[in-house]
Amino acid sequence: MHVDTIVQNLLSRQSEIVDRLCAFLRLPSVSTDPAFIGGMLDAQAFLVSWLERMGLSDVQLLDGGGHPAVYGAWNGAPGKPTLLIYGHYDVQPPDPAEAWVTPPFEPTIRDGRLYARGASDVKGSTAIALETIAAFLKLRGACPVNVKVFLEGEEETNSPSLRPIVQRYGDLLQADGMISADGARAHPKIPTINVGSRGIVEFEISIRTADKDLHSGRYGGAVRNAAHEMAKIIASLHDEDGAIAIPGLLAALPSVSVNARADTARFPFDEAAFVENIGARAHGEHGFSIREQLTLRPALDVNGMWGGYTGFGSKTVIPSTAHAKLSLRIVPGQDPDEASDALKAHLCTVCPRDVELSIDDPGTGSKAFNLPTEHPLVLAAKKVLSEATGQEPALVRLGASIPITVIFQELLGLQTLMFGFALPDEDIHAPNEFFRLASLMEGLSAWPRLLEQLGEYSADEFRSMAAEAESAAV
Amino acid sequence: MHVDTIVQNLLSRQSEIVDRLCAFLRLPSVSTDPAFIGGMLDAQAFLVSWLERMGLSDVQLLDGGGHPAVYGAWNGAPGKPTLLIYGHYDVQPPDPAEAWVTPPFEPTIRDGRLYARGASDVKGSTAIALETIAAFLKLRGACPVNVKVFLEGEEETNSPSLRPIVQRYGDLLQADGMISADGARAHPKIPTINVGSRGIVEFEISIRTADKDLHSGRYGGAVRNAAHEMAKIIASLHDEDGAIAIPGLLAALPSVSVNARADTARFPFDEAAFVENIGARAHGEHGFSIREQLTLRPALDVNGMWGGYTGFGSKTVIPSTAHAKLSLRIVPGQDPDEASDALKAHLCTVCPRDVELSIDDPGTGSKAFNLPTEHPLVLAAKKVLSEATGQEPALVRLGASIPITVIFQELLGLQTLMFGFALPDEDIHAPNEFFRLASLMEGLSAWPRLLEQLGEYSADEFRSMAAEAESAAV
């Protein structure tokens, strides 16, 4: 059966496919908050049942000590490449809940958009991959390549158990490359292939200025206030432009390559639309375009900060503790541990001697990701996207971090092609996240063709081409 | 019956009096949080019943649109001064609840200390005043002076309805002076009389840097982060010493008088104990002693600050909003509106033009308070305290704010003697608030003697002495 027929079949079943995606989205699989454990278990059961029904073998939960990954394989294409198919079933917390137009776990379609927490990140694109495999197996009885489906449950918490899982199940997960449903498209109209993403380092800092909270009338004017001290620490992280103001961190940073800047400049990026979309002016490091700031330069953000009384009304207290969650996006050439150490050294330097600083570091940092441009995964994707759109795909980098790419490369030697269909404006990690139904259709059209294209290679051809691309990139 | 007998009787009934205070403390009368409305209503009913039982007339709730005040009078001493007896039945929120050794609304005695929210601020001293009146009426059938008991329900929220109540019930509340159970003692061993307190201005500020929260990977490095901007604003409020760094605010400040500095220096203040008590080094305006920083100089504190994700785990978000609760303690000679305007002007100046700043000002500011040292209330208190302790009481000022003193002076022309028995180390507004049983006994010994002493004056004498003191102080 020709792949066009597979695609036609998928496109004709939009309503059935949307219904199944909505059932997936109704499960509140928030990995970061123990209160949502029920949603996590429901999502695992949902996926296990689905993989079994579509005919995958060896369907199981891969346990690494945290939320397990869901796994299933189809090995019926001997001599063909084996591709790990990556997605994740966990989602970000939905708060602030009151900011959602419709509830985050009640998927709702408005104006061709499917609104729900996780719709764009990344249940929508995960569903595209699974529907593609199911369609091949149902209609043709076979996939063009061997597939090993791996659906993670901790992507939104920086994958703390992913290393243990990949180490423990290393034999099961052997493959020639990986295709990820995560990693959004960079542009709604121009085909793109992601050849990199920023890494990330995250930790929480707490300061203490006194043994206990103090009355602001009795003590105000003669004692330190933890909120003031935290404010001074956070204020020291950036200069007036918004650029990172930590010399130790910038000194170790490789300069941005001419090629990378040229690639970035070739990709049309609408700065005016960017600004309009956020409802504010751009604000970042001097001497770089917005797109360069977003993808080629590190970024340091306070994701949350709190101290003292934050409830209703007033409370005349001098907070003795204050807290902040920090995340640092790093770029190729930056080592997560070194970057983390430089940031911590700065915090220790700016924190006054009689303020107690503690750092809670989960140690989940990950390097930036780099995919060689001549890798067979890139070549296959280029061909599929060129044919589908009539345009040469642009090579782009993501600002976001996909630590899994680094982990699979390190532990299993796998390169990752990100082939997700989310778009950048879909409010992921924020209220009113959505996924476009048009993107769902484009994904259901492209994924079967990508697998078909990869099936043109023998396993040996794939491996030698990949090895050559890797060595050229070094 | 001699006042000594009244005092002896009160001291002999410690266990009964503590039991009644514990019943009062069990009622969670948190005025700032609507969730505690039940505790507020219970406390009102408890007090109404108590005032009626002790024989006060005209017992009623005085409504000013918010939490009502509880009122009751005894007018059986014609020709004698009439004193308004002030206390408050509302308490601060108990959070953080987990930091309490025993639950905040389950009064517990340990080592001679009664632990409960509100024990020190100010149900303990309020109970002293009420037990005193009850004892006079029961044992002697009369008080030495006319009394009008006024127990406020919004002291901890800066008394938003106090003006409306005093205006509406102005005739009922006519008196020659006020004695307040609020206003702590400054020292455990040295008798003191409070002749002033700092005023306060409070408001909440919010900033917005974008229409919505943004993903820190997709947007990090090219947009403003509300947590960063709030940190810069807060960091601008103080210099490295912790002194207020707002020129417009300091310019309007009268210089500290030689007399006030001399009074302050005469009062022994243990800086080492102060530092040890808070578990941190002192930190404040250069050129002033700690005691001066606490009572003669303004203080600006962030009581709470928050923005972004503050829950369990991580969330890679760039907050678009951040908030802070600010309070400014002001000193005699500072106008609350002018001080508030200077602070707001500074905030507007330091907030970048493309960051939206909004200020939520409840307009509850109050001036600092000043009691003339020759006022008959002061003279009576001096006599009672000298006789009880064998020491000349020191004239001190409070760092905390008691807006009611200003309101009653402005609207009814009343001066206030603060005659509370709390001590400064009792963790009011913080976890594990307590009141010493020894202080309870000292208060039950002093209050009857104070009323007896005031009963030595005729109403006319009291009024002419008061008027003379006021004009000398101007």
Side-chain angles (χ1 to χ4, degrees):
Chain A
M1 183 183 288
H2 195 271
V3 68
D4 287 350
T5 312
I6 308 281
V7 168
Q8 279 315 315
N9 174 274
L10 280 164
L11 299 184
S12 71
R13 288 188 290 118
Q14 168 173 349
S15 127
E16 172 203 335
I17 288 171
V18 168
D19 284 352
R20 192 155 37 232
L21 173 55
C22 287
F24 191 17
L25 290 168
R26 265 182 218 108
L27 309 176
S29 45
V30 178
S31 53
T32 196
D33 185 344
F36 287 92
I37 182 65
M40 291 298 291
L41 296 175
D42 287 347
Q44 290 156 22
F46 176 91
L47 291 171
V48 163
S49 156
W50 191 4
L51 298 190
E52 281 175 344
R53 283 201 320 275
M54 76 175 66
L56 300 196
S57 60
D58 235 359
V59 175
Q60 60 187 294
L61 298 179
L62 307 186
D63 179 25
H67 297 298
V70 180
Y71 175 86
W74 183 83
N75 297 310
K80 293 294 178 187
T82 299
L83 279 311
L84 212 58
I85 307 294
Y86 174 88
H88 65 85
Y89 65 87
D90 64 326
V91 302
Q92 283 276 318
D95 60 273
E98 68 279 7
W100 287 75
V101 174
T102 49
F105 298 110
E106 294 178 19
T108 309
I109 295 172
R110 292 194 298 277
D111 298 331
R113 296 167 166 197
L114 177 53
Y115 286 87
R117 169 56 85 228
S120 177
D121 180 20
V122 74
K123 287 179 174 175
S125 291
T126 299
I128 290 170
L130 298 184
E131 297 287 358
T132 296
I133 295 167
F136 270 122
L137 293 178
K138 184 168 182 190
L139 299 174
R140 194 192 266 176
C143 277
V145 290
N146 302 295
V147 293
K148 295 181 171 182
V149 172
F150 182 94
L151 306 175
E152 196 192 356
E154 296 183 329
E155 199 275 340
E156 301 296 358
T157 59
N158 287 317
S159 307
S161 321
L162 187 57
R163 280 175 185 280
I165 290 173
V166 175
Q167 280 162 337
R168 183 168 175 190
Y169 299 95
D171 290 343
L172 195 69
L173 298 173
Q174 287 300 332
D176 298 306
M178 184 157 101
I179 311 175
S180 169
D182 203 1
R185 294 186 283 172
H187 196 279
K189 297 207 176 116
I190 298 163
T192 59
I193 297 172
N194 298 319
V195 294
S197 68
R198 291 192 286 193
I200 189 167
V201 165
E202 284 181 286
F203 50 78
E204 190 170 311
I205 65 173
S206 296
I207 59 169
R208 175 174 284 281
T209 51
D211 284 346
K212 55 195 169 188
D213 288 354
L214 299 166
H215 184 281
S216 70
R218 299 274 177 84
Y219 294 90
V223 299
R224 288 193 190 269
N225 175 317
H228 303 180
E229 301 300 334
M230 182 59 87
K232 293 205 173 193
I233 290 171
I234 294 174
S236 78
L237 301 176
H238 298 87
D239 67 15
E240 283 305 304
D241 290 332
I244 295 172
I246 304 174
L249 192 61
L250 298 182
L253 200 60
S255 58
V256 175
S257 78
V258 175
N259 279 350
R261 295 193 83 159
D263 278 348
T264 304
R266 266 199 297 274
F267 176 71
F269 180 74
D270 187 341
E271 298 208 344
F274 174 86
V275 163
E276 190 181 351
N277 175 256
I278 60 173
R281 269 177 279 184
H283 181 71
E285 191 176 11
H286 192 71
F288 293 92
S289 70
I290 291 180
R291 186 75 195 161
E292 287 172 345
Q293 290 167 346
L294 293 174
T295 60
L296 300 178
R297 298 296 291 169
L300 174 56
D301 273 289
V302 172
N303 306 117
M305 113 182 138
W306 68 105
Y309 183 68
T310 60
F312 188 85
S314 67
K315 186 173 180 209
T316 50
V317 70
I318 300 178
S320 60
T321 60
H323 313 269
K325 294 177 191 279
L326 299 181
S327 65
L328 173 65
R329 304 281 170 175
I330 57 176
V331 294
Q334 270 188 305
D335 178 76
D337 292 335
E338 287 172 13
S340 176
D341 288 347
L343 175 53
K344 288 175 188 171
H346 171 83
L347 294 170
C348 293
T349 302
V350 296
C351 184
R353 213 158 45 93
D354 46 337
V355 174
E356 191 183 310
L357 169 70
S358 58
I359 298 177
D360 180 13
D361 184 353
T364 52
S366 67
K367 280 193 292 196
F369 159 72
N370 251 327
L371 174 61
T373 53
E374 294 305 309
H375 194 283
L377 285 170
V378 178
L379 301 181
K382 266 187 174 173
K383 189 157 191 291
V384 167
L385 294 175
S386 302
E387 287 176 4
T389 63
Q391 300 175 67
E392 178 76 1
L395 301 182
V396 296
R397 293 181 168 277
L398 285 182
S401 311
I402 309 192
I404 58 120
T405 55
V406 175
I407 292 174
F408 280 95
Q409 182 159 48
E410 221 182 280
L411 298 181
L412 299 178
L414 298 185
Q415 272 291 9
T416 299
L417 172 71
M418 293 180 231
F419 210 64
F421 279 76
L423 284 169
D425 64 347
E426 293 174 342
D427 287 336
I428 69 169
H429 295 213
N432 302 308
E433 176 179 352
F434 67 92
F435 188 52
R436 290 176 170 83
L437 294 182
S439 297
L440 182 66
M441 296 297 105
E442 289 170 65
L444 290 170
S445 172
W447 266 76
R449 298 186 205 282
L450 177 70
L451 297 192
E452 189 81 350
Q453 186 62 39
L454 289 166
E456 298 285 317
Y457 300 117
S458 74
D460 288 343
E461 281 168 345
F462 186 97
R463 285 167 201 160
S464 65
M465 286 172 69
E468 206 171 313
E470 295 283 358
S471 61
V474 169
Chain B
M1 180 180 293
H2 195 270
V3 68
D4 287 350
T5 313
I6 307 280
V7 168
Q8 280 315 314
N9 175 273
L10 281 163
L11 299 183
S12 71
R13 289 188 290 116
Q14 169 174 348
S15 127
E16 172 203 334
I17 287 171
V18 169
D19 283 352
R20 192 155 36 234
L21 173 55
C22 286
F24 190 18
L25 290 167
R26 265 183 218 107
L27 309 176
S29 45
V30 178
S31 53
T32 195
D33 185 344
F36 287 91
I37 182 65
M40 291 298 292
L41 295 175
D42 288 346
Q44 291 155 23
F46 176 91
L47 291 170
V48 163
S49 157
W50 191 3
L51 298 190
E52 282 174 344
R53 281 201 320 276
M54 74 174 69
L56 300 195
S57 60
D58 233 0
V59 175
Q60 60 187 294
L61 298 180
L62 307 187
D63 180 24
H67 297 298
V70 180
Y71 175 86
W74 183 82
N75 297 311
K80 293 292 176 186
T82 299
L83 278 313
L84 211 58
I85 307 295
Y86 174 87
H88 66 83
Y89 64 89
D90 64 326
V91 302
Q92 283 276 316
D95 58 272
E98 68 279 7
W100 287 74
V101 173
T102 49
F105 298 111
E106 295 177 20
T108 309
I109 295 173
R110 291 194 298 277
D111 299 332
R113 297 169 166 196
L114 177 54
Y115 286 86
R117 168 57 83 231
S120 177
D121 180 19
V122 76
K123 287 179 174 175
S125 292
T126 298
I128 290 170
L130 298 184
E131 297 286 359
T132 295
I133 295 167
F136 271 120
L137 293 179
K138 185 170 182 186
L139 299 175
R140 192 192 269 175
C143 276
V145 290
N146 301 296
V147 293
K148 294 182 172 181
V149 172
F150 182 93
L151 306 175
E152 195 191 357
E154 295 183 330
E155 199 278 339
E156 300 297 357
T157 59
N158 287 316
S159 308
S161 323
L162 186 57
R163 280 175 184 280
I165 290 174
V166 175
Q167 280 162 337
R168 184 168 173 189
Y169 299 95
D171 290 343
L172 196 67
L173 298 173
Q174 286 302 332
D176 298 308
M178 183 156 102
I179 310 175
S180 168
D182 204 0
R185 293 186 284 171
H187 196 278
K189 298 207 175 115
I190 296 163
T192 58
I193 296 172
N194 298 320
V195 294
S197 68
R198 291 192 286 193
I200 189 167
V201 164
E202 284 182 286
F203 50 79
E204 191 171 311
I205 63 172
S206 296
I207 58 168
R208 175 173 285 281
T209 51
D211 284 345
K212 56 194 169 189
D213 288 354
L214 299 166
H215 185 282
S216 69
R218 300 275 177 81
Y219 293 90
V223 298
R224 289 192 190 269
N225 176 318
H228 303 180
E229 301 300 335
M230 182 59 87
K232 293 203 174 198
I233 290 171
I234 294 173
S236 78
L237 302 178
H238 298 86
D239 67 15
E240 282 305 304
D241 290 332
I244 296 171
I246 304 173
L249 193 59
L250 298 182
L253 200 61
S255 57
V256 174
S257 79
V258 175
N259 280 350
R261 295 192 83 159
D263 278 347
T264 304
R266 267 198 297 274
F267 176 71
F269 181 74
D270 186 341
E271 298 208 345
F274 175 85
V275 162
E276 191 182 348
N277 175 258
I278 60 173
R281 270 178 279 185
H283 181 71
E285 190 176 12
H286 192 70
F288 293 93
S289 70
I290 291 180
R291 186 74 196 162
E292 288 172 346
Q293 289 167 347
L294 293 175
T295 60
L296 301 179
R297 297 296 291 170
L300 174 56
D301 273 291
V302 172
N303 306 117
M305 128 184 123
W306 68 103
Y309 182 67
T310 60
F312 188 85
S314 67
K315 187 173 181 208
T316 50
V317 70
I318 299 177
S320 61
T321 60
H323 312 269
K325 294 176 192 280
L326 300 182
S327 65
L328 173 66
R329 303 279 170 176
I330 58 176
V331 293
Q334 270 189 304
D335 178 76
D337 291 337
E338 286 172 13
S340 175
D341 287 347
L343 175 53
K344 288 176 188 170
H346 171 84
L347 295 169
C348 292
T349 302
V350 296
C351 184
R353 212 158 45 93
D354 46 337
V355 173
E356 190 184 311
L357 169 70
S358 57
I359 298 177
D360 180 12
D361 184 353
T364 52
S366 68
K367 279 194 292 196
F369 159 72
N370 252 328
L371 174 62
T373 54
E374 297 302 312
H375 194 282
L377 286 170
V378 178
L379 300 181
K382 265 187 174 173
K383 188 154 192 290
V384 167
L385 294 175
S386 301
E387 287 175 3
T389 63
Q391 299 176 68
E392 178 77 1
L395 301 181
V396 298
R397 294 182 167 277
L398 286 182
S401 312
I402 310 193
I404 58 121
T405 54
V406 175
I407 292 173
F408 280 95
Q409 181 158 47
E410 221 184 280
L411 298 181
L412 298 179
L414 299 185
Q415 271 292 7
T416 298
L417 172 70
M418 293 181 232
F419 210 65
F421 278 76
L423 284 169
D425 65 346
E426 294 174 340
D427 287 338
I428 68 169
H429 295 215
N432 303 306
E433 176 179 353
F434 66 92
F435 188 52
R436 289 175 170 83
L437 293 182
S439 298
L440 182 65
M441 295 298 103
E442 290 170 66
L444 289 172
S445 171
W447 267 76
R449 297 186 206 281
L450 178 70
L451 296 192
E452 188 80 350
Q453 185 62 40
L454 289 168
E456 299 286 315
Y457 301 115
S458 74
D460 287 344
E461 281 167 345
F462 185 97
R463 285 169 203 158
S464 66
M465 287 172 70
E468 205 171 313
E470 295 283 359
S471 61
V474 168

